[in-house]
Amino acid sequence: MGDISMTYNAAAATMNQDHTLDVVPYQQGGSKFFDDDGRLKRTGTVWTASAHIITAVIGSGVLSLAWAIAQLGWIAGPAVMLLFAFVTYYTSCLLAECYRTGDEVTGKRNYTFMDAVSTILGGSKVKLCGILQYTNLYGTAVGYTIAASISMMAVQKSNCFHASHDDNPCLISSTPYMIIFGVSQIIFSQIPDFDQISWLSAVSAVMSFTYSGIGLGLGIAKVAENWQFKGSLTGISIGMVTPTEKIWRIFQALGNIAFAYTYSMILIEIQDTLKAPPPSEAKTMNKAGLFSVSTSTIFYMLCGCVGYAAFGDTAPGNLLTGFGFKNPYWLLDIANVAIVIHLVGAYQVYCQPLFSFIENWAATKWPKSDFINKNFQVPILGFRPYKLNLFRLVWRTIFVVSATLLSMLLPFFNDIAGILGAFGFWPLSVYFPVEMYISQKKIPKWSTKWVCLQILSAACLVVSIASAVGSVAGVVSDLKVYHPFQSKY
């Protein structure tokens, strides 16, 4: 996979109308229009990076946090959430230092996570990174399709409950809604690259705060209605679940929290959109990371803790679609529509790096293929012509269709979220950032800092293994009563 990870290196290449490559030469130190690697000037800022991160982080995972805290209790729940927040921010700072190899201002850029692993670590670790990163990105597309369909179903169910005065069970199939979401993603997936989705990230970030705020407000109202804080210090009690189920649920809760924080797999790609120094891209990225993770943690703590206080051991797996709340139904509708809009953007934030990877590989493999490299100008009234690429159209459509079909086969949101968190957290958010940082900064083996970093990595590995076991056990349990394409909720 070494040649697969090749990207443009110190030059920007575009296809002209004669189907030949125009190469913009490398310009040392950059210029008015080009950065130091010969590419067009990057325009990203702390705020655009923060919008991308918040879109990626404050996703549908926030809605499962009340359930996660219900499994862990009032002591371990918030403590684990704060611990994940610290680890996520710390390791993201380590990873940001790996965007440039050598000097943080003038060193060679690494355009993707895989590029950084290839340059700094090399060998078989590049293949391992590629498999883990892009499998996780694909899995995230599946998870977001499931979450979006659940929210669309929730809108119909809340209106059904309201119209029938709760006399109708309102069983609905998720399949049509997954197809609707998949069709929308086929359209949005034709946005050519990561640089052009900043507006979509901004809209999605606003939607994140909208539905999180509604969930928080409804939770506070429920606590006020109950005149008490529900829940216990140790979480869901034995009796409501068996001792074995309690253990599996604790492990799964760890995966859900990890899923809610994970964004390292796209950090380098976000960093590659930032303006060239001064300051260095790493410093800008660290500011964006601190703002985003802090903001996310505040929302997570509020939504998770208030949701647990409102429902206690019966906290639903999804705070806004598990129907812990049924009224006001119109406010729930607004929240769930906001979730769907957010997930449209979040899907693109996660999938654009994968799209770009496959397309760059194909262009390198078959540089003379018109199907892969030729762009057609499609006029759009009132806008600049759209550059239609047939390979992009076909491959991205196949990707979305396959992710949608897999979502229909495994529509278990909490379990899928836990699995994605487990398999993505340790290798992509901890192991590779730690190993690359140690190599990049030449930290001596067995030094105090080296030992501390290795202890951090080992501890996170244990957490990932535990959460993976719990989430897989949850999927196995769900499959016992599940019929593909036929289930109704």
Side-chain angles (χ1 to χ4, degrees):
M1 192 175 287
D3 63 321
I4 295 179
S5 65
M6 290 178 61
T7 56
Y8 293 119
N9 197 6
T14 56
M15 185 67 66
N16 67 17
Q17 293 181 347
D18 296 326
H19 313 157
T20 58
L21 289 173
D22 289 332
V23 179
V24 180
Y26 177 86
Q27 302 192 22
Q28 183 64 38
S31 70
K32 182 178 179 180
F33 301 107
F34 300 99
D35 278 329
D36 57 355
D37 60 347
R39 291 191 175 188
L40 290 173
K41 281 281 187 184
R42 294 160 176 84
T43 58
T45 65
V46 168
W47 303 114
T48 60
S50 297
H52 285 316
I53 296 171
I54 289 173
T55 298
V57 175
I58 304 185
S60 52
V62 68
L63 303 174
S64 69
L65 293 179
W67 180 90
I69 291 181
Q71 314 314 310
L72 298 168
W74 278 118
I75 296 177
V80 168
M81 204 175 296
L82 289 174
L83 183 62
F84 271 100
F86 170 75
V87 171
T88 298
Y89 173 66
Y90 180 71
T91 57
S92 71
C93 289
L94 300 184
L95 185 56
E97 294 289 339
C98 301
Y99 172 65
R100 287 185 183 266
T101 305
D103 189 89
E104 69 172 17
V105 175
T106 61
K108 174 188 173 293
R109 296 174 187 261
N110 297 303
Y111 301 114
T112 67
F113 196 116
M114 272 188 70
D115 283 346
V117 174
S118 178
T119 301
I120 299 171
L121 299 178
S124 60
K125 291 181 179 178
V126 181
K127 294 182 180 180
L128 176 62
C129 172
I131 292 169
L132 289 170
Q133 181 186 8
Y134 295 122
T135 299
N136 204 273
L137 292 177
Y138 181 80
T140 300
V142 173
Y144 281 177
T145 302
I146 296 169
S149 70
I150 291 173
S151 289
M152 287 188 276
M153 289 166 58
V155 173
Q156 183 177 346
K157 287 175 75 76
S158 69
N159 285 276
C160 175
F161 286 144
H162 178 73
S164 66
H165 304 288
D166 293 347
D167 290 335
N168 188 334
C170 301
L171 296 178
I172 301 169
S173 172
S174 61
T175 299
Y177 293 103
M178 290 185 181
I179 293 173
I180 291 170
F181 186 76
V183 169
S184 73
Q185 288 305 328
I186 288 174
I187 296 170
F188 280 102
S189 291
Q190 296 310 309
I191 297 174
D193 55 51
F194 207 95
D195 279 338
Q196 298 181 33
I197 63 170
S198 294
W199 65 274
L200 191 56
S201 286
V203 171
S204 297
V206 171
M207 293 298 104
S208 299
F209 291 121
T210 299
Y211 66 73
S212 298
I214 291 174
L216 175 61
L218 290 173
I220 292 172
K222 186 72 173 179
V223 171
E225 178 186 320
N226 296 335
W227 285 95
Q228 65 172 327
F229 280 72
K230 293 187 176 182
S232 65
L233 296 180
T234 57
I236 191 168
S237 57
I238 304 297
M240 289 190 68
V241 294
T242 66
T244 302
E245 287 176 333
K246 170 82 172 176
I247 293 172
W248 292 148
R249 285 188 173 208
I250 289 173
F251 290 168
Q252 187 180 340
L254 295 175
N256 278 199
I257 295 173
F259 175 71
Y261 274 107
T262 300
Y263 76 96
S264 294
M265 68 191 81
I266 58 172
L267 183 146
I268 296 289
E269 285 82 351
I270 294 174
Q271 193 168 347
D272 191 46
T273 67
L274 297 177
K275 290 179 182 177
S280 70
E281 296 90 351
K283 289 180 180 177
T284 302
M285 197 66 194
N286 289 344
K287 289 179 181 178
L290 179 61
F291 174 79
S292 304
V293 172
S294 299
T295 302
S296 302
T297 301
I298 291 171
F299 265 79
Y300 284 179
M301 292 291 285
L302 288 172
C303 290
C305 292
V306 169
Y308 184 42
F311 297 105
D313 289 351
T314 61
N318 187 312
L319 193 59
L320 291 175
T321 63
F323 289 95
F325 305 112
K326 290 187 179 179
N327 286 298
Y329 77 97
W330 57 268
L331 189 59
L332 288 170
D333 289 351
I334 292 173
N336 280 297
V337 169
I339 292 172
V340 175
I341 295 173
H342 166 261
L343 290 174
V344 169
Y347 190 108
Q348 290 303 311
V349 168
Y350 275 101
C351 291
Q352 283 289 340
L354 176 54
F355 294 158
S356 178
F357 166 74
I358 294 296
E359 286 153 21
N360 285 340
W361 170 77
T364 303
K365 190 76 172 177
W366 298 283
K368 297 181 180 180
S369 169
D370 284 351
F371 174 71
I372 293 173
N373 296 302
K374 185 177 180 180
N375 291 323
F376 298 90
Q377 300 288 337
V378 179
I380 301 177
L381 187 63
F383 296 92
R384 289 183 300 176
Y386 174 74
K387 293 182 179 180
L388 175 66
N389 180 280
L390 292 178
F391 177 69
R392 182 173 67 224
L393 175 64
V394 172
W395 127 250
R396 295 189 184 190
T397 299
I398 292 172
F399 173 91
V400 174
V401 169
S402 66
T404 304
L405 287 173
L406 188 55
S407 303
M408 295 175 188
L409 288 171
L410 297 170
F412 317 125
F413 174 67
N414 280 76
D415 297 330
I416 296 299
I419 289 173
L420 290 172
F423 285 101
F425 178 67
W426 176 72
L428 298 174
S429 296
V430 181
Y431 174 74
F432 282 115
V434 164
E435 292 300 310
M436 286 193 290
Y437 181 80
I438 288 174
S439 178
Q440 177 96 313
K441 299 299 181 181
K442 296 180 172 57
I443 297 173
K445 196 172 185 178
W446 302 113
S447 66
T448 301
K449 190 167 187 177
W450 184 91
V451 170
C452 289
L453 288 171
Q454 296 300 336
I455 291 173
L456 171 65
S457 183
C460 290
L461 173 60
V462 172
V463 171
S464 284
I465 292 173
S467 58
V469 170
S471 298
V472 169
V475 170
V476 171
S477 177
D478 288 336
L479 285 173
K480 292 178 181 178
V481 294
Y482 171 67
H483 301 287
F485 304 109
Q486 298 177 17
S487 293
K488 292 187 176 182
Y489 303 90

Short mmCIF file of all heavy atoms in Angstrom, two decimals, residues 386-407:
data_model
loop_
_atom_site.label_atom_id
_atom_site.label_comp_id
_atom_site.label_asym_id
_atom_site.label_seq_id
_atom_site.Cartn_x
_atom_site.Cartn_y
_atom_site.Cartn_z
N TYR A 386 -19.99 23.45 -12.90
CA TYR A 386 -19.58 22.36 -12.02
C TYR A 386 -18.69 21.41 -12.80
O TYR A 386 -19.00 21.04 -13.94
CB TYR A 386 -20.80 21.60 -11.50
CG TYR A 386 -20.44 20.37 -10.70
CD1 TYR A 386 -19.93 20.48 -9.41
CD2 TYR A 386 -20.61 19.09 -11.25
CE1 TYR A 386 -19.59 19.37 -8.68
CE2 TYR A 386 -20.28 17.97 -10.52
CZ TYR A 386 -19.76 18.10 -9.24
OH TYR A 386 -19.43 16.99 -8.52
N LYS A 387 -17.56 21.01 -12.19
CA LYS A 387 -16.63 20.09 -12.85
C LYS A 387 -17.05 18.66 -12.53
O LYS A 387 -16.79 18.16 -11.43
CB LYS A 387 -15.20 20.35 -12.39
CG LYS A 387 -14.65 21.70 -12.85
CD LYS A 387 -13.20 21.89 -12.39
CE LYS A 387 -12.65 23.22 -12.88
NZ LYS A 387 -11.24 23.43 -12.44
N LEU A 388 -17.70 18.02 -13.47
CA LEU A 388 -18.17 16.65 -13.30
C LEU A 388 -17.07 15.67 -13.67
O LEU A 388 -16.52 15.73 -14.76
CB LEU A 388 -19.40 16.40 -14.16
CG LEU A 388 -19.94 14.96 -14.16
CD1 LEU A 388 -20.48 14.59 -12.79
CD2 LEU A 388 -21.02 14.79 -15.23
N ASN A 389 -16.75 14.77 -12.75
CA ASN A 389 -15.77 13.72 -12.99
C ASN A 389 -16.49 12.38 -12.92
O ASN A 389 -17.11 12.05 -11.91
CB ASN A 389 -14.65 13.79 -11.94
CG ASN A 389 -13.59 12.73 -12.14
OD1 ASN A 389 -13.79 11.59 -11.75
ND2 ASN A 389 -12.47 13.11 -12.74
N LEU A 390 -16.40 11.59 -13.98
CA LEU A 390 -17.17 10.34 -14.05
C LEU A 390 -16.72 9.33 -12.99
O LEU A 390 -17.56 8.65 -12.39
CB LEU A 390 -17.05 9.73 -15.45
CG LEU A 390 -17.72 10.52 -16.59
CD1 LEU A 390 -17.49 9.82 -17.92
CD2 LEU A 390 -19.22 10.67 -16.33
N PHE A 391 -15.44 9.23 -12.76
CA PHE A 391 -14.96 8.30 -11.75
C PHE A 391 -15.46 8.69 -10.36
O PHE A 391 -15.91 7.84 -9.58
CB PHE A 391 -13.43 8.24 -11.74
CG PHE A 391 -12.87 7.34 -10.67
CD1 PHE A 391 -13.02 5.97 -10.75
CD2 PHE A 391 -12.19 7.88 -9.58
CE1 PHE A 391 -12.51 5.13 -9.76
CE2 PHE A 391 -11.68 7.04 -8.59
CZ PHE A 391 -11.84 5.68 -8.68
N ARG A 392 -15.39 9.99 -10.08
CA ARG A 392 -15.90 10.48 -8.79
C ARG A 392 -17.38 10.16 -8.64
O ARG A 392 -17.84 9.72 -7.59
CB ARG A 392 -15.66 11.98 -8.66
CG ARG A 392 -16.13 12.56 -7.32
CD ARG A 392 -15.71 14.01 -7.17
NE ARG A 392 -16.40 14.85 -8.13
CZ ARG A 392 -15.83 15.81 -8.84
NH1 ARG A 392 -14.53 16.01 -8.74
NH2 ARG A 392 -16.53 16.54 -9.67
N LEU A 393 -18.14 10.38 -9.70
CA LEU A 393 -19.58 10.12 -9.67
C LEU A 393 -19.88 8.65 -9.39
O LEU A 393 -20.69 8.32 -8.52
CB LEU A 393 -20.21 10.54 -11.00
CG LEU A 393 -21.70 10.24 -11.18
CD1 LEU A 393 -22.53 11.03 -10.18
CD2 LEU A 393 -22.15 10.56 -12.61
N VAL A 394 -19.18 7.77 -10.11
CA VAL A 394 -19.47 6.33 -9.99
C VAL A 394 -18.98 5.78 -8.65
O VAL A 394 -19.71 5.10 -7.93
CB VAL A 394 -18.82 5.56 -11.16
CG1 VAL A 394 -18.93 4.06 -10.95
CG2 VAL A 394 -19.47 5.96 -12.48
N TRP A 395 -17.71 6.08 -8.30
CA TRP A 395 -17.13 5.46 -7.11
C TRP A 395 -17.79 5.96 -5.83
O TRP A 395 -18.09 5.18 -4.92
CB TRP A 395 -15.61 5.68 -7.09
CG TRP A 395 -15.03 6.28 -5.84
CD1 TRP A 395 -14.50 7.53 -5.71
CD2 TRP A 395 -14.89 5.65 -4.56
NE1 TRP A 395 -14.06 7.74 -4.42
CE2 TRP A 395 -14.29 6.59 -3.69
CE3 TRP A 395 -15.23 4.41 -4.06
CZ2 TRP A 395 -14.00 6.32 -2.36
CZ3 TRP A 395 -14.96 4.13 -2.72
CH2 TRP A 395 -14.34 5.08 -1.89
N ARG A 396 -18.06 7.26 -5.74
CA ARG A 396 -18.69 7.78 -4.53
C ARG A 396 -20.13 7.29 -4.40
O ARG A 396 -20.62 7.06 -3.28
CB ARG A 396 -18.63 9.31 -4.51
CG ARG A 396 -17.22 9.86 -4.43
CD ARG A 396 -17.19 11.36 -4.19
NE ARG A 396 -15.83 11.89 -4.20
CZ ARG A 396 -15.49 13.13 -3.83
NH1 ARG A 396 -16.42 13.96 -3.43
NH2 ARG A 396 -14.23 13.52 -3.85
N THR A 397 -20.82 7.11 -5.52
CA THR A 397 -22.17 6.57 -5.48
C THR A 397 -22.16 5.14 -4.97
O THR A 397 -22.97 4.75 -4.12
CB THR A 397 -22.82 6.63 -6.87
OG1 THR A 397 -22.90 8.00 -7.31
CG2 THR A 397 -24.22 6.04 -6.84
N ILE A 398 -21.21 4.33 -5.46
CA ILE A 398 -21.08 2.95 -4.99
C ILE A 398 -20.78 2.91 -3.50
O ILE A 398 -21.35 2.10 -2.75
CB ILE A 398 -19.97 2.22 -5.78
CG1 ILE A 398 -20.39 2.02 -7.24
CG2 ILE A 398 -19.63 0.88 -5.14
CD1 ILE A 398 -19.29 1.48 -8.13
N PHE A 399 -19.92 3.81 -3.04
CA PHE A 399 -19.58 3.88 -1.61
C PHE A 399 -20.82 4.14 -0.78
O PHE A 399 -21.09 3.44 0.21
CB PHE A 399 -18.55 4.99 -1.39
CG PHE A 399 -18.26 5.27 0.07
CD1 PHE A 399 -17.23 4.61 0.71
CD2 PHE A 399 -19.03 6.17 0.80
CE1 PHE A 399 -16.97 4.85 2.06
CE2 PHE A 399 -18.78 6.41 2.14
CZ PHE A 399 -17.74 5.75 2.77
N VAL A 400 -21.60 5.16 -1.14
CA VAL A 400 -22.78 5.52 -0.36
C VAL A 400 -23.81 4.39 -0.38
O VAL A 400 -24.40 4.06 0.66
CB VAL A 400 -23.40 6.83 -0.90
CG1 VAL A 400 -24.72 7.13 -0.19
CG2 VAL A 400 -22.43 8.00 -0.71
N VAL A 401 -24.01 3.79 -1.54
CA VAL A 401 -24.98 2.69 -1.65
C VAL A 401 -24.57 1.52 -0.75
O VAL A 401 -25.41 0.94 -0.03
CB VAL A 401 -25.12 2.23 -3.12
CG1 VAL A 401 -25.91 0.93 -3.20
CG2 VAL A 401 -25.80 3.31 -3.95
N SER A 402 -23.29 1.17 -0.75
CA SER A 402 -22.84 0.03 0.06
C SER A 402 -22.98 0.34 1.55
O SER A 402 -23.38 -0.54 2.34
CB SER A 402 -21.38 -0.32 -0.27
OG SER A 402 -20.50 0.72 0.11
N ALA A 403 -22.65 1.58 1.96
CA ALA A 403 -22.79 1.96 3.37
C ALA A 403 -24.26 1.94 3.79
O ALA A 403 -24.59 1.53 4.91
CB ALA A 403 -22.20 3.35 3.60
N THR A 404 -25.14 2.35 2.88
CA THR A 404 -26.58 2.35 3.18
C THR A 404 -27.10 0.93 3.33
O THR A 404 -27.88 0.63 4.24
CB THR A 404 -27.35 3.10 2.07
OG1 THR A 404 -26.82 4.42 1.92
CG2 THR A 404 -28.83 3.18 2.40
N LEU A 405 -26.66 0.03 2.46
CA LEU A 405 -27.10 -1.37 2.55
C LEU A 405 -26.62 -2.02 3.84
O LEU A 405 -27.38 -2.76 4.49
CB LEU A 405 -26.57 -2.16 1.34
CG LEU A 405 -27.25 -1.87 0.00
CD1 LEU A 405 -26.51 -2.59 -1.13
CD2 LEU A 405 -28.72 -2.30 0.03
N LEU A 406 -25.39 -1.74 4.24
CA LEU A 406 -24.88 -2.31 5.48
C LEU A 406 -25.64 -1.75 6.68
O LEU A 406 -25.88 -2.46 7.66
CB LEU A 406 -23.38 -2.01 5.62
CG LEU A 406 -22.65 -2.70 6.78
CD1 LEU A 406 -22.84 -4.22 6.71
CD2 LEU A 406 -21.17 -2.36 6.77
N SER A 407 -26.04 -0.48 6.60
CA SER A 407 -26.84 0.13 7.67
C SER A 407 -28.17 -0.59 7.83
O SER A 407 -28.66 -0.78 8.94
CB SER A 407 -27.09 1.61 7.36
OG SER A 407 -25.90 2.31 7.18
#
